[in-house]
Amino acid sequence: MDQTAYRTIRQLPADERPYEKCEHLGPSSLSDAELLSVILRTGAEGVNVIDMSRDILSSLGSSGIAGLCRASQEDLCQIRGIGKVKAMQIRCIAELSRRIAHADIGYEAELNFNDPQTIADYYMEDLRHETQEVMYLLCLSSKGSLLKKEIISRGTVNSTMINPREIFVSALSHRAASVILMHNHPSGDPTPSEADIRVTQKTQKCAKMLGIVLLDHIVIGDHRFVSMRMEGLMDQEDEFRNAS
């Protein structure tokens, strides 16, 4: 930054100071950088808190403020003026926003697991920011309530390895009557790959042999999802209608 252009917050015109602007016009009037600066409160030597906030957002690239959910402690500490405490503050902001999104939708135990839209909405914030593919297994009771959620695979940037044996060892240990697979595509495009479809069909066949119903395999993108059940990519002639 050009030091001759550096100004502290107190040196800014009153209508450019985020606290005063928030007080008179409300939080919705603030830009992303201004909101972040109110939370961080102070800048550092040679950089005021607004410019620091702009540097943070700029470091996130095209993902913008949503990238805060993916920013690591190490990444944040590379930004001038950001130390351990401020990096921790920023990561807590991201986690708080994720929890607020969950709370707005409802509790996990109260989800309707026969409704792919409801499932995708709830887990979207957990998965859409992941930089690797992550496979969740949801184990359900005969009444359709959640018994267990666990990560069964964590892959590379564009693929994940899944073994049906791992799925059903877990499902049987929890006495699940049905299961749902769910994973993300870091690209943001939830269109199932050929490998996704093959794994789903193989898993469904194994499930039938064990008397367990594979209700769905949901692929999460960026604010988008695909239900393989709804897309007709799974065998429809099973116990799906009676699973709940």
Side-chain angles (χ1 to χ4, degrees):
M1 180 188 296
D2 182 358
Q3 292 296 313
T4 61
Y6 168 69
R7 291 186 293 175
T8 66
I9 293 296
R10 291 181 182 275
Q11 292 172 321
L12 295 175
D15 60 355
E16 293 182 21
R17 299 174 197 163
Y19 281 97
E20 285 81 350
K21 188 175 177 180
C22 183
E23 182 178 9
H24 291 101
L25 300 175
S28 62
S29 68
L30 302 183
S31 67
D32 291 345
E34 288 169 336
L35 280 170
L36 194 53
S37 70
V38 169
I39 295 168
L40 293 177
R41 297 181 57 210
T42 60
E45 184 177 356
V47 56
N48 66 46
V49 69
I50 295 180
D51 288 331
M52 179 188 292
S53 298
R54 288 172 180 153
D55 288 345
I56 293 168
L57 296 175
S58 177
S59 74
L60 302 174
S62 60
S63 59
I65 198 168
L68 288 178
C69 294
R70 293 188 290 270
S72 69
Q73 185 90 0
E74 293 75 18
D75 291 338
L76 292 169
C77 286
Q78 296 300 313
I79 301 169
R80 187 163 63 112
I82 301 295
K84 181 179 178 180
V85 173
K86 276 188 165 52
M88 197 175 300
Q89 283 179 287
I90 294 167
R91 295 181 69 213
C92 285
I93 293 166
E95 176 62 17
L96 182 62
S97 68
R98 186 188 68 82
R99 295 188 188 188
I100 290 172
H102 273 183
D104 189 49
I105 295 170
Y107 293 104
E108 187 175 36
E110 298 173 353
L111 294 182
N112 177 1
F113 289 97
N114 279 328
D115 180 5
Q117 181 71 62
T118 301
I119 299 169
D121 286 346
Y122 187 86
Y123 292 106
M124 184 68 69
E125 289 305 306
D126 284 343
L127 286 170
R128 76 183 185 93
H129 299 297
E130 288 279 356
T131 56
Q132 294 182 324
E133 287 195 6
V134 178
M135 179 74 78
Y136 279 5
L137 172 67
L138 309 180
C139 296
L140 308 177
S141 71
S142 59
K143 294 183 178 180
S145 59
L146 183 66
L147 296 172
K148 179 71 174 180
K149 176 193 77 178
E150 62 181 298
I151 294 175
I152 57 171
S153 177
R154 184 178 290 274
T156 63
V157 70
N158 60 4
S159 65
T160 186
M161 297 298 293
I162 178 173
N163 186 330
R165 181 177 62 184
E166 296 173 2
I167 295 172
F168 295 111
V169 166
S170 179
L172 290 169
S173 69
H174 296 294
R175 300 187 179 184
S178 57
V179 295
I180 294 172
L181 294 178
M182 178 172 54
H183 81 279
N184 63 305
H185 280 178
S187 67
D189 180 0
T191 304
S193 67
E194 289 298 322
D196 292 336
I197 296 170
R198 286 196 302 270
V199 165
T200 303
Q201 293 174 346
K202 180 179 179 180
T203 302
Q204 188 174 28
K205 290 178 181 178
C206 294
K208 286 184 178 181
M209 293 174 62
L210 295 171
I212 297 173
V213 180
L214 177 62
L215 291 180
D216 207 343
H217 185 169
I218 297 171
V219 186
I220 301 290
D222 188 8
H223 289 300
R224 295 181 290 162
F225 77 97
V226 169
S227 160
M228 293 202 196
R229 171 75 61 176
M230 293 177 64
E231 293 298 313
L233 299 174
M234 297 173 59
D235 182 1
Q236 304 296 315
E237 296 180 2
D238 58 18
E239 307 94 329
F240 176 63
R241 294 293 188 271
N242 299 321
S244 61

